[in-house]
C-alpha cells in the first residue's frame, strides 16, 4: 500500500509547530482493498478509512470536479488511477499540498515548502475559486499564522475578491460559517481573520454587523484607536490572550459593541445607549449563524452590562446585586468569571492600554462570591415565603456585598 503523510501534519512539522493528527492519502487502492486490509470506513462523501491499529485517517487519493454552486457542489473521483500529484492539486493552499514519504522525503509539486519558508499563504491552482469556503479558510489560517509573519499572496487575495464579488459566498451554509468562526476565536490572532475578510470584501457578506463597525468613530480620550472596527480587532486579540482557546469569551468580545454601528450620526463620537442598541443585531447574527445558546447568552450579557462592570467600583451595593441578578449569576455562577474576562478584554483592547490593570474583573468575582454565599435555605427559619422571602434574600445578599467592601 502506497500511503503518504499529508496536510497539516507535514505543514506544522515544517513550521516547527506542535504535531496534531496524522492524515494519510493512499494511492492505487480501492475501497474494497482497504476493507480487506482491516480498515474501518468512516467517509460519507468520499472514501476515508481508519487504520485498524492506530485509528489514524487514511483517505483514497481523489480529484474533485465542480458540478454546482457552493462548497458542496463537487463530484468526487477516487479511482485507483488518481495520482498523488492530482490529489495534492485539489487542495486549497500550497502549504497544505505537501506529502511526506515513509522515509521522510517530501513530495512538493506546488512549492509549499518554499512558501512556508517565505511565509506566504498561496492557493494551489485555479480550482481555488470553485469552493467559497476557501475564502474563510484563508482568513482562518491567517488568524493562526499571522504571528509567524505570514501574508496572503497578492494573486490569492485577487481571487478571493473575485469570489466575493461573484456572490459565491452566498452559498455558504450557516453551520460551516460558524464552524470556521469558532475555530478563529480559539486562535491567537482573530484580528487577522477580520482584516483578511475585510481586505477581500467578504466581511460585509459573512459578518455584516461587524463590518459595519469599521469607520465608526469613538471618543479619543477613551478609545485612542478611534475606529470602532479597530477596537473590535484589539478586543478579540486581547480576549484570545486572556482566555486562550475559549470561543465563548471570544464571541462575546467580537460582538459586545455592535450597537455602535447604529448610533445616530449627530451623536457621534459619543455612543449613548449603544449597549441597548446592540442586542438586536447580536440576536440577528446569532440566529443567522445558529450560534450556540451559551455563546449567544454570554454575548448578550456582555453587550448589555460591560459599561456597568467598568463602573463597578462606583456602583451602590444594591446596584451591584441587581447587576448580578440580571446575569442570573446565582443560578449560573460560571457566567461571572467569563463576563469579567470579556469586560477586561474590552478595557484593555484599546491602543496603548494593553497593559492596563483591571481590578473591576477581580472585584466582580469577589462580590459575586460574597453575595452567592447567602442562600435561601439560610433564611428558612424566619417564617417568610414567596415574594417576601425573595426580598429578604435580596437584602441579605446586598448586606453581604456591603460587608465584603468594607
Amino acid at each position: 500500500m502506497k500511503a503518504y503523510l499529508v496536510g497539516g501534519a507535514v505543514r506544522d512539522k515544517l513550521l516547527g509547530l506542535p504535531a496534531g493528527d496524522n492524515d494519510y492519502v493512499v494511492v492505487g487502492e480501492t475501497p474494497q482493498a482497504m476493507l480487506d486490509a482491516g480498515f474501518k470506513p468512516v467517509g460519507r462523501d468520499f472514501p476515508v478509512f481508519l487504520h485498524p491499529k492506530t485509528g489514524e485517517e487514511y483517505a483514497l487519493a481523489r480529484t474533485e470536479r465542480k458540478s454546482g454552486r457552493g462548497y458542496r457542489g463537487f463530484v468526487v473521483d477516487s479511482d485507483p488511477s488518481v495520482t498523488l500529484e492530482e490529489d495534492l492539486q485539489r487542495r486549497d493552499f500550497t502549504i497544505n499540498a505537501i506529502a511526506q514519504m515513509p522515509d521522510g522525503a517530501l513530495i512538493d509539486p506546488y512549492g509549499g515548502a518554499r512558501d512556508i519558508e517565505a511565509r506566504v499563504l498561496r492557493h494551489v491552482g485555479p480550482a481555488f475559486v470553485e469552493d467559497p469556503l476557501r475564502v474563510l479558510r484563508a482568513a482562518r489560517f491567517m488568524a493562526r499564522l499571522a504571528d509567524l509573519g505570514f501574508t496572503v499572496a497578492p494573486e490569492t487575495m485577487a481571487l478571493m475578491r473575485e469570489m466575493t464579488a461573484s456572490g459565491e459566498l452566498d452559498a455558504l451554509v450557516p453551520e460551516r460559517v460558524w464552524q470556521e468562526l469558532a475555530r478563529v476565536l480559539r486562535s491567537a490572532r482573530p484580528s487577522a481573520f477580520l482584516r483578511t475578510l475585510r481586505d477581500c470584501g467578504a466581511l460585509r457578506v459573512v459578518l455584516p454587523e461587524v463590518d459595519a463597525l469599521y469607520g465608526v468613530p469613538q471618543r479619543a480620550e477613551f478609545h485612542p484607536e478611534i475606529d470602532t472596527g479597530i477596537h473590535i480587532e484589539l478586543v478579540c486579540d486581547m480576549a484570545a490572550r486572556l482566555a486562550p482557546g475559549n470561543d465563548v469569551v471570544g464571541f462575546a468580545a467580537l460582538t459586545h459593541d455592535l450597537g455602535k454601528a447604529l448610533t445616530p450620526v449627530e451623536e457621534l463620537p459619543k455612543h449613548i445607549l449603544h449597549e441597548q442598541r446592540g442586542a438586536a443585531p447580536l440576536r440577528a447574527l446569532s440566529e443567522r449563524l445558529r450560534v450556540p445558546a451559551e455563546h449567544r447568552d454570554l454575548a448578550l450579557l456582555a453587550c448589555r452590562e460591560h459599561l456597568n462592570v467598568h463602573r463597578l467600583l462606583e456602583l451602590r451595593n444594591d446596584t451591584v446585586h441587581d447587576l448580578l441578578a440580571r446575569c442570573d449569576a446565582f443560578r449560573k455562577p460560571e457566567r461571572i468569571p467569563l463576563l469579567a474576562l470579556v469586560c477586561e478584554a474590552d478595557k484593555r483592547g484599546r491602543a496603548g492600554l494593553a497593559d492596563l490593570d483591571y481590578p473591576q474583573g477581580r472585584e466582580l468575582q469577589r462580590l459575586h462570591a460574597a453575595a452567592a454565599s447567602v442562600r435561601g435555605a439560610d433564611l428558612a427559619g424566619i417564617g417568610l415565603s414567596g415574594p417576601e422571602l425573595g426580598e429578604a434574600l435580596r437584602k441579605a445578599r446586598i448586606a453581604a456585598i456591603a460587608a465584603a467592601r468594607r
Side-chain angles (χ1 to χ4, degrees), residues 172-185:
L172 291 171
V173 298
E175 292 85 354
R176 292 308 301 268
V177 176
W178 169 250
Q179 185 180 57
E180 293 295 314
L181 179 58
R183 295 177 74 177
V184 165
L185 296 173

Side-chain angles (χ1 to χ4, degrees), residues 4-15 17 23 25 84-85 87-100 107-116 120-124 128 134 137-138 140-142 144-145 150 183:
Y4 304 86
L5 185 66
V6 294
V10 180
R11 176 198 68 225
D12 290 349
K13 186 181 298 183
L14 294 176
L15 284 168
L17 297 175
D23 295 320
V25 64
L84 176 63
E85 287 75 15
D87 180 273
L88 295 175
Q89 187 178 38
R90 69 171 175 78
R91 296 172 185 266
D92 47 11
F93 305 106
T94 61
I95 65 173
N96 296 330
I98 309 169
Q100 182 177 302
I107 300 175
D108 183 20
Y110 305 106
R114 181 181 63 246
D115 283 341
I116 285 176
V120 173
L121 188 67
R122 190 190 316 275
H123 65 286
V124 171
F128 180 86
R134 288 175 171 174
R137 283 174 57 82
R140 172 167 62 80
F141 272 113
M142 287 304 298
R144 183 173 182 231
L145 300 176
F150 270 78
R183 295 177 74 177

Side-chain angles (χ1 to χ4, degrees), residues 17 28 32 43 45 67 89 111 114 136 146 149 163 188 211 217-218 256 272 287 326 335 373 398 406:
L17 297 175
Q32 188 59 51
D45 299 323
S67 62
Q89 187 178 38
R114 181 181 63 246
L136 295 187
M163 294 166 71
D211 185 69
Q218 303 166 108
H256 78 284
I272 302 169
E287 183 175 347
R326 287 195 302 274
R335 287 180 168 181
S373 69
I398 292 171
R406 293 194 188 108

